[in-house]
Amino acid sequence: KEEGRSFKLSYYNEYKSYLSKSWNEMREVPLSTNSKEFLTSVLSEGLRPDCRYSYDYRDIDISFGPQWGHTEVLLGNTRVLSRVSCTVTQPTLSRPNEGSLFFHVNLSPMSSTKFNGARSDFSTVVTRLLERTIKETRVIDTESLCIVAGEKVLKLRVDITLLNYSGNVIDVCCIAAMASLSHFKRPDFVVNGEEVTVFSHKERDPIPLSVLHIPITCTIAFCEDKILVDPSDEEESVMDGYVSIATNTHHEICYIYLGGGVTLTPALVSKCCEISSLKTQEISTMITRYLEQDKRVRKESGVEKPVAISNQTLQEKLDKLYVEDRRNTKDISVEDDVKDPAFGSITIRYIDEVETVDENGTGSVTVTTPVTPATKDEDTAFPGF
């Protein structure tokens, strides 16, 4: 036993050292001096590695999931997944008639070796910037989230996960958060005296949130005397600093965050604010267009309640099919002849065994005797067939 324990302990220590060695090998490899000099010389001449102009964004693609508030945003190769959830909770003492909004940013280690999975300082910066940009500027009408003043309110939680990192995490997280909040629909509720009824998506149609304005952040990097909008990961490695300016569609400045050791003049700040205002108009229009496209697709496909469909279990679907089949076969008597355009004259008989129909379609179709629907403990999924 002692030899077995010592062997297990030595094996565990060896495996632990192997994991730590593998993690060290997977860490981010910094750019070489030649690569940094090349990027600096290219950027100083007004060129960018991906053939963009100084004020151009990378391609933005927004896709919505089957549930309300599920959004995936792709900015170049930077991919972010956002999800909005809603729960009933008690309000704060300072604001008893207002709901709450909470943000959580997860910089997943699978997105890049730059992140190790723990909550880093940069994730805290991104979370705080989203709170300053969206929550403190009152983008969402929190009073509409109140159910009973001082007792029950709705709490919105926005979870943002970075799936792939290729630079400019701040902007893509802000776009994903605003797209998710604009796409999300809260459950309906009714207050009857002291009784509060919160309806599910199956019972009543959900209600969209009251979005008062759409702020979008625009990150601008500085490399020597050049201005670079939407820096990539390579450009972030050689930049001197950056500024993230959040403006809304009304040309109002919501928040300014300065990162790095760069010094900005008033004229340069004014120029960056003007660039941010123009980019906000473009991106907000793009979000509105994607929302209208998603609404049109849902209407054409007849999927108005994706949550109710996704929450329907397999057993509920099977029971529904069984009930419909019993309704269709209730009026059919034994040895009745049924005319079918595909098979011609066929005979339906209720027996215990199942027979097959021949290729000519002249054989008999046999159906088992209908019984009561199957319970959860039974193995058969279709008891009436």
Side-chain angles (χ1 to χ4, degrees), residues 246-280:
T247 55
N248 58 12
T249 53
H250 306 292
H251 303 282
E252 298 174 345
I253 300 176
C254 301
Y255 185 64
I256 297 179
Y257 177 79
L258 181 63
V262 65
T263 303
L264 302 181
T265 60
L268 186 57
V269 173
S270 178
K271 184 177 181 180
C272 293
C273 292
E274 183 179 358
I275 295 173
S276 176
S277 179
L278 295 175
K279 295 302 178 181
T280 299

Side-chain angles (χ1 to χ4, degrees), residues 5-21:
R5 292 173 183 174
S6 60
F7 174 76
K8 290 181 180 179
L9 183 61
S10 61
Y11 178 78
Y12 173 75
N13 293 332
E14 184 179 356
Y15 181 70
K16 187 176 180 181
S17 61
Y18 170 75
L19 290 180
S20 61
K21 182 179 179 181

